[in-house]
Amino acid sequence: MTVPVPGRRSSTFTRLLRHGFTDLAAAERLLETPELAPVRSDSVLLDALGATADPDLALIGLVRIVEAQDDDERRALLDTLVTAKPLRDRLLGVLGASEALGDHLARHPHDWHALVTYEAADLHPGVAEFERGLAEATDPVALRVAYRRCLLAIAARDVCGTTDVAQAAAELADLATATLRAALAIASTAAPADADQCRLAVIAMGKCGGHELNYVSDVDVIFVAEAVDGFDEGKAMQAAGRLAAHLMRICSETTVEGVIWPVDANLRPEGRNGPLVRTLSSHLAYYQRWAKTWEFQALLKARPVAGDVELGQDYVEAVAPLVWQAAERDNFVADVQKMRRRVVDNIPAAQVERELKLGPGGLRDVEFAVQLLQLVHGRSDATLHSGTTLDALAALAAGGYVGRADAAQLDEAYRFLRAMEHRIQLHRLRRTHLVPEDEADLRRLGRSLGLRTEPVASLHKEWKRHASVVRRLHEKLFYRPLLDAVAQLAPGEIRLSPRAAAHRLEALGYADPAAALRHLEALSSGVSRKAAIQRTLLPVLLGWFADSADPDAGLLGFRKVSDALGKTPWYLRLLRDEGAAAENLARVLSAGRLAPDLLLRAPEAVAILGDPDGLAPRGRDHLEQEIMAAVGRAETAEGAVASVRGVRRRELFRTTAGDLIGSYGTEDSPAEEDPGALVDRVGGAVTDLNAATIAGALRAAVRAEWGDTLPTRFTVIGMGRFGGHELSYGSDADVLFVHEPREGVDEQDAARAANRIVSEMRRLLQLPAADPPLMIDADLRPEGKSGPMVRTLKSYEAYYRRWSLVWESQALLRAEVMAGDAELGARFIELIDPLRYPVDGLSDDAVREIRRLKARMESERMPRGADPTLHAKLGRGGLSDVEWTVQLLQMRHGWELPGLRTTRTREALAAAHAAGLIDTESASILDEAWVLATRVRNGVMLVRGRAGDTFPSDGRELAAVGRYLGYEPGHVGDMLEDYRRLTRRARGVVEERFYGAHV
């Protein structure tokens, strides 16, 4: 801002500053322009300039226009400027808001007369008036000039408040209609032979079709044509295509007069890859067979605007029934959700906060929700068949599909955001939806919206306030009326009918809308504080449930948890006040059976979901400390193990919840990018939990009969995935039991005590209960099922020295101490290390034996009828393939490479890669395949509540596994194909690295 100087200039600067000028020196200099002498001292002019969005810009524009006039025209302009307030306000209003229209008036100084054309405040020009304004344009350049002249009149009425934002948008759409007709006429005149062969109709789509066009926007169209009687259809279609292309060029080409607007025909069938022009029957064939849900949503706004009127109307009438049946299509909800995500995902990160149209709380949110409600309820209510957003919103409110207060708030927010968009585009007539960052631009924008006190701060405050309303529009528009349909409302309050509510639930993906309505009624009816809080929570929860593969299960689970905890004071308060807790609960309840089953057996565990650190697995030391304390407090072994199993149930829920939320993500926390990290966390957590549980059962069994000291030292060795810290949710705990008589204890007495301990541990852990069982499997012991359940350390040593087979040495690769006497366990590990990491590696005979065993297992153990390309454990490129390949490397090179001496598959693979035993690509393929197969097994258990090694056959369960693996709805086919592709590559590595010579 220019600093005032003393004296007369100080007084002038003060006046200019008071009228909103910022560059005071430049303004004073411009006011001294000789051409302004007749009006320079007129205070009315200065007041009018001060009322504009940007007085400096308005004054610059005025000087340019006045200087461009001849003497007679200049006198007429200045006289009218001083004496006629409507013209003065319109001209200066436009000049203060639009630099681009100021440029147009400077090039065409006589066009100021267009601002006198519509003097009456109640006169709103329509298509006919605009057609008259464009009538003399017989070539593209003249059409551009005439278009800007008409645009000038619309902008003047808009910035002066003669029209509101909705009327201005409708006038812009009418001007576009007139322009398309004029462009088609020019194209037809240029090629009369083409025009004679065909009937061509132009169908407006998008904002033009909806009578809500922006100042600068692509005008979306679809072309439909038919051959004139007597002409060949193929040639007629070619002629129609040439006319349509010519029309697009006329409107879209840029000249010194600028561009009118781009004509975009990409909403046509097949998009830019499809023919520009089709017959009506061709359009219908496409829509009936191939169209996607978003295409029917786009057709909501279809409107014939130019060309053959009858053909255009036939087109709209023919596609309308398809539009209003779209909500009944398969994957309707999944398609709609995908569209929502795509809109936000495609915004550059640096622009999200400034994106007025597509960003959170932006214009597209309102339009999207309104259109979605129209598609759902318009099936049975023709009053909703409007292409104009605000008209449709009003119809939704009138029909009771949206609360009147909510509709009023959204109407206000939408108008404000559209007004912002209009003013931003009007400045330079450029297509943009980004809120400017420059302070001067923000000041002009705020003042143009009537915010004269602190315009920048006020603009930001109002923008964020309205965006906040819109950000919650989905719950407000789509879910809250569901509760109004079932809750006890005040007499006379408009609400959804049960039928309409059922329609909406069906569209959201609920398979049993009637049951869902019963759950809603049970949760939200009444006047209690509990019901009031539920009515606040449920709109958001319903949206999260609908975003899952099984919304019905989510809602049913929520009702069960609420029934169990509804009288607990902290439960609803937690969900209401801790947003993360409510969203986490919704994700967990609707993701499958395992986690909800665990939660429903101990509903108080829902508190875990509100703790920022509550989903992190607890370490083994912490778990053992809690479990041993619980065992110490119990009076019986059965009571002790019941407490231990309670801890296990809670911690399993913690792990499953953390896994689900880490896989799916939430609004505030996206899904983790590294699936391997999730697999390692789950495997480690379940392993630690099972180890602590076995330790607790061991302590309980010992205390029940022997007090604190067992006659023999006793240790539990984890094997298989248990020893490898790679347990899935449904895995058994593979173990070996080792004992050693204490000094002075008879060996037979020690053996009897050890066997009794094993029997008691297994009995206690398998007592009937609602908790998931922990099965202990000792079949990997020497001699298998026919051998003794427990052996002394010396017996193991004798057996392994004389009888051990290669497969037993391979199984010992995963042996790790899990519970009991740590020192005895350490000596057992010392005993087996030479077996699993033989000095100088394996002999050729041993390698052949391992390969033979693997081939035999592949042929004999695969379940009958199972698809070998989709079996996660035994199938092609599955867990067994990867693990045997890695284990062969360990047995051949572990004696010389310490990094290979680990029970964990991924660690051993990484060590083999680091040592140069396997190339980077092969190691990456094996690791990715192993992680994916493990996640498939975890996903199946989470979804079905029981273990499985293959993908579910049920469609909903398969979709839920897909969501767990990161696939969007409707992409289960991609999931299966990706699994087959990756495991096929992994099998190729196995063929080379395990069965081939290169090992």
Side-chain angles (χ1 to χ4, degrees):
M1 183 179 294
T2 307
V3 179
V5 297
R8 184 182 64 81
R9 291 193 70 195
S10 177
S11 175
T12 302
F13 281 0
T14 300
R15 289 179 63 215
L16 293 173
L17 185 63
R18 188 171 62 249
H19 282 88
F21 288 89
T22 56
D23 190 344
L24 306 182
E28 183 186 43
R29 185 172 61 254
L30 288 169
L31 286 170
E32 295 297 326
T33 301
E35 288 78 3
L36 290 184
V39 297
R40 180 183 304 130
S41 60
D42 197 315
S43 61
V44 171
L45 176 63
L46 199 58
D47 290 341
L49 286 167
T52 65
D54 188 340
D56 299 270
L57 182 62
L59 180 56
I60 292 172
L62 177 61
V63 170
R64 294 176 66 198
I65 296 170
V66 171
E67 288 179 338
Q69 309 290 338
D70 58 35
D71 291 341
D72 292 339
E73 189 72 10
R74 183 180 305 118
R75 281 193 296 272
L77 171 60
L78 294 177
D79 288 345
T80 309
L81 196 65
V82 173
T83 59
K85 185 178 188 312
L87 171 71
R88 181 171 63 247
D89 291 344
R90 289 175 182 175
L91 177 59
L92 297 183
V94 167
L95 293 175
S98 178
E99 181 180 309
L101 289 177
D103 291 342
H104 172 84
L105 284 168
R107 289 195 305 273
H108 305 280
H110 291 183
D111 277 4
W112 67 269
H113 290 283
L115 301 179
V116 188
T117 304
Y118 305 109
E119 289 288 350
D122 60 347
L123 178 60
H124 303 299
V127 176
E129 286 81 4
F130 289 127
E131 284 189 296
R132 285 194 290 273
L134 303 176
E136 296 181 4
T138 57
D139 61 76
V141 174
L143 182 61
R144 288 178 176 80
V145 175
Y147 172 81
R148 287 293 175 93
R149 187 182 306 120
C150 293
L151 190 67
L152 182 66
I154 295 175
R157 292 159 53 76
D158 181 15
V159 298
C160 292
T162 306
T163 57
D164 65 12
V165 66
Q167 291 169 331
E171 290 183 12
L172 288 166
D174 285 342
L175 175 57
T177 297
T179 305
L180 287 168
R181 293 177 182 178
L184 181 57
I186 293 172
S188 299
T189 300
D194 285 345
D196 290 341
Q197 293 185 58
C198 63
R199 299 164 62 202
L200 176 65
V202 183
I203 310 298
M205 304 286 285
K207 291 188 180 302
C208 184
H211 264 107
E212 48 190 16
L213 195 60
N214 297 330
Y215 276 101
V216 186
S217 177
D218 290 356
V219 171
D220 296 305
V221 299
I222 285 176
F223 296 107
V224 58
E226 299 288 349
V228 171
D229 290 343
F231 285 93
D232 177 76
E233 182 176 286
K235 292 181 178 179
M237 288 301 102
Q238 293 176 358
R242 289 190 291 270
L243 286 175
H246 193 179
L247 178 152
M248 295 176 68
R249 287 195 301 274
I250 290 170
C251 296
S252 304
E253 286 180 349
T254 302
T255 68
V256 67
E257 296 296 341
V259 63
I260 300 177
W261 19 251
V263 176
D264 189 342
N266 287 339
L267 292 179
R268 66 186 184 269
E270 301 180 75
R272 65 183 61 191
N273 296 319
L276 182 62
V277 176
R278 289 176 182 256
T279 63
L280 177 55
S281 60
S282 177
H283 276 96
L284 289 177
Y286 172 84
Y287 289 129
Q288 289 166 349
R289 297 185 61 189
W290 308 111
K292 298 179 175 61
T293 300
W294 70 263
E295 293 179 275
F296 295 109
Q297 187 172 348
L299 285 169
L300 272 172
K301 295 181 179 292
R303 178 172 64 93
V305 291
D308 192 295
V309 176
E310 182 181 356
L311 178 58
Q313 193 59 41
D314 289 345
Y315 173 89
V316 172
E317 291 175 358
V319 300
L322 301 177
V323 171
W324 302 113
Q325 296 166 8
E328 300 170 7
R329 292 163 57 90
D330 292 339
N331 298 318
F332 172 75
V333 177
D335 290 342
V336 168
Q337 292 168 345
K338 189 190 308 179
M339 285 187 288
R340 287 184 65 214
R341 295 188 188 97
R342 187 185 301 133
V343 166
V344 177
D345 291 345
N346 287 339
I347 304 174
Q351 297 179 2
V352 170
E353 293 301 318
R354 298 169 51 214
E355 178 55 75
L356 194 63
K357 177 181 178 182
L358 304 178
L363 291 161
R364 182 61 60 82
D365 278 352
V366 180
E367 295 162 354
F368 189 91
V370 168
Q371 291 165 21
L372 197 54
L373 287 175
Q374 287 180 273
L375 288 173
V376 171
H377 299 297
R379 291 179 285 177
S380 55
D381 189 345
T383 66
L384 305 181
H385 296 187
S386 171
T388 305
T389 300
L390 291 179
D391 289 349
L393 180 58
L396 287 165
Y401 305 104
V402 178
R404 291 189 184 279
D406 291 341
Q409 281 189 304
L410 280 157
D411 182 280
E412 180 188 7
Y414 188 73
R415 289 174 186 273
F416 182 85
L417 296 175
R418 283 301 304 273
M420 279 187 69
E421 181 185 45
H422 277 194
R423 297 297 193 272
I424 291 169
Q425 294 184 350
L426 183 58
H427 181 221
R428 292 192 174 92
L429 287 182
R430 291 179 182 171
R431 183 176 182 269
T432 179
H433 310 288
L434 294 178
V435 177
E437 297 177 292
D438 182 76
E439 185 81 8
D441 289 335
L442 290 170
R443 180 176 184 272
R444 181 186 59 257
L445 179 58
R447 284 174 58 90
S448 75
L449 296 171
L451 305 173
R452 297 306 172 93
T453 303
E454 300 290 338
V456 176
S458 298
L459 173 67
H460 184 80
K461 179 181 178 180
E462 286 297 294
W463 172 31
K464 294 305 178 184
R465 178 174 71 84
H466 288 297
S468 178
V469 171
V470 174
R471 197 169 292 127
R472 297 180 180 88
L473 68 91
H474 199 60
E475 61 166 282
K476 284 181 173 291
L477 281 182
F478 212 71
Y479 302 110
R480 194 176 299 279
L482 286 169
L483 304 184
D484 296 347
V486 296
Q488 296 176 7
L489 301 176
E493 184 170 349
I494 294 177
R495 62 182 184 179
L496 282 181
S497 68
R499 179 185 177 190
H503 274 328
R504 190 170 295 189
L505 285 164
E506 182 184 0
L508 282 167
Y510 287 83
D512 190 349
L517 283 173
R518 290 195 297 272
H519 298 327
L520 292 178
E521 184 170 13
L523 288 163
S524 63
S525 292
V527 294
S528 67
R529 180 173 178 81
K530 171 186 171 183
I533 296 176
Q534 290 282 25
R535 285 195 290 270
T536 301
L537 290 170
L538 277 166
V540 188
L541 290 168
L542 284 170
W544 287 325
F545 294 150
D547 195 34
S548 73
D550 195 348
D552 299 80
L555 181 55
L556 175 60
F558 181 69
R559 180 180 175 182
K560 289 180 177 179
V561 173
S562 294
D563 287 346
L565 294 177
K567 295 182 180 179
T568 307
W570 57 265
Y571 167 64
L572 289 176
R573 186 170 62 245
L574 170 73
L575 299 185
R576 181 193 64 194
D577 298 339
E578 299 291 339
E583 184 173 4
N584 290 342
L585 178 61
R587 300 301 185 201
V588 167
L589 290 176
S590 56
R593 297 179 183 175
L594 180 60
D597 285 350
L598 292 168
L599 179 59
L600 290 171
R601 290 176 187 135
E604 65 278 1
V606 76
I608 291 172
L609 302 176
D611 181 355
D613 301 319
L615 298 176
R618 300 165 74 190
R620 190 187 303 184
D621 290 344
H622 189 108
L623 291 170
E624 285 196 8
Q625 183 179 4
E626 180 181 3
I627 283 173
M628 294 308 179
V631 171
R633 291 191 298 269
E635 296 182 358
T636 65
E638 290 79 3
V641 171
S643 298
V644 170
R645 292 172 71 166
V647 173
R648 182 170 181 266
R649 179 206 313 124
R650 183 197 66 212
E651 294 305 315
L652 269 178
F653 174 72
R654 188 192 307 275
T655 302
T656 57
D659 187 14
L660 289 167
I661 293 162
S663 297
Y664 295 164
T666 64
E667 290 184 0
D668 296 326
S669 177
E672 292 189 18
E673 295 182 359
D674 181 13
L678 283 171
V679 164
D680 291 343
R681 187 172 70 183
V682 169
V686 178
T687 298
D688 287 345
L689 181 53
N690 286 355
T693 300
I694 290 173
L698 174 60
R699 174 69 64 85
V702 171
R703 287 182 73 244
E705 186 166 350
W706 292 280
D708 293 331
T709 304
L710 186 66
T712 185
R713 303 174 71 181
F714 187 90
T715 192
V716 181
I717 305 297
M719 300 287 285
R721 286 187 169 74
F722 187 28
H725 294 254
E726 298 164 351
L727 285 178
S728 299
Y729 295 114
S731 299
D732 295 342
D734 292 313
V735 299
L736 298 177
F737 296 113
V738 185
H739 81 104
E740 185 177 68
R742 295 187 185 277
E743 187 174 352
V745 177
D746 180 76
E747 287 194 7
Q748 291 187 347
D749 291 341
R752 281 194 292 271
N755 278 287
R756 284 169 61 187
I757 279 294
V758 171
S759 297
E760 182 67 1
M761 285 174 59
R762 299 180 77 182
R763 181 187 75 83
L764 291 171
L765 289 172
Q766 294 174 23
L767 286 172
D771 303 307
L774 173 56
M775 305 299 295
I776 294 179
D777 188 340
D779 288 352
L780 291 177
R781 64 187 184 271
E783 301 178 76
K785 293 181 180 179
S786 60
M789 184 67 70
V790 60
R791 290 175 180 261
T792 63
L793 185 63
K794 289 182 179 179
S795 175
Y796 276 104
E797 181 181 9
Y799 175 85
Y800 288 137
R801 183 175 64 251
R802 299 181 61 189
W803 308 109
S804 178
L805 301 175
V806 174
W807 74 264
E808 292 178 297
S809 297
Q810 183 180 349
L812 290 170
L813 284 168
R814 294 188 175 193
E816 184 172 304
V817 181
M818 288 296 174
D821 191 303
E823 191 273 335
L824 177 61
R827 286 194 282 130
F828 178 84
I829 298 300
E830 185 179 356
L831 165 69
I832 65 171
D833 271 351
L835 291 170
R836 54 185 181 175
Y837 310 123
V839 175
D840 294 328
L842 292 174
S843 66
D844 291 343
D845 288 342
V847 172
R848 281 193 293 271
E849 176 64 11
I850 289 174
R851 289 171 174 165
R852 186 186 66 80
L853 288 171
K854 177 70 167 67
R856 179 183 171 189
M857 183 182 71
E858 290 178 11
S859 63
E860 296 180 358
R861 294 182 60 187
M862 179 71 70
R864 182 178 298 176
D867 184 348
T869 67
L870 293 176
H871 197 282
K873 182 178 180 180
L874 302 175
R876 180 190 69 188
L879 295 172
S880 177
D881 269 1
V882 177
E883 289 164 359
W884 281 62
T885 302
V886 172
Q887 289 163 12
L888 185 56
L889 289 171
Q890 289 181 279
M891 296 187 74
R892 297 197 69 178
H893 301 282
W895 66 278
E896 60 180 343
L897 297 173
L900 291 174
R901 299 171 205 162
T902 174
T903 63
R904 294 163 169 82
T905 301
R906 297 187 72 211
E907 283 188 7
L909 180 58
H913 172 246
L917 300 178
I918 187 169
D919 62 273
T920 300
E921 182 180 7
S922 296
S924 176
I925 290 171
L926 292 180
D927 183 75
E928 191 176 352
W930 188 89
V931 167
L932 179 56
T934 302
R935 295 202 73 212
V936 168
R937 298 181 87 209
N938 282 341
V940 170
M941 183 67 181
L942 285 167
V943 169
R944 302 181 68 191
R946 61 182 187 274
D949 293 316
T950 60
F951 288 91
S953 57
D954 178 81
R956 185 161 288 216
E957 291 179 346
L958 185 62
V961 172
R963 295 298 301 275
Y964 173 75
L965 295 178
Y967 288 86
E968 296 294 342
H971 286 270
V972 293
D974 294 339
M975 171 182 69
L976 298 178
E977 181 57 35
D978 289 347
Y979 182 86
R980 287 189 172 102
R981 176 184 52 78
L982 178 58
T983 53
R984 182 172 59 247
R985 296 177 65 200
R987 179 65 181 190
V989 176
V990 172
E991 295 283 356
E992 177 187 1
R993 310 296 310 196
F994 183 83
Y995 287 112
H998 185 45
V999 181

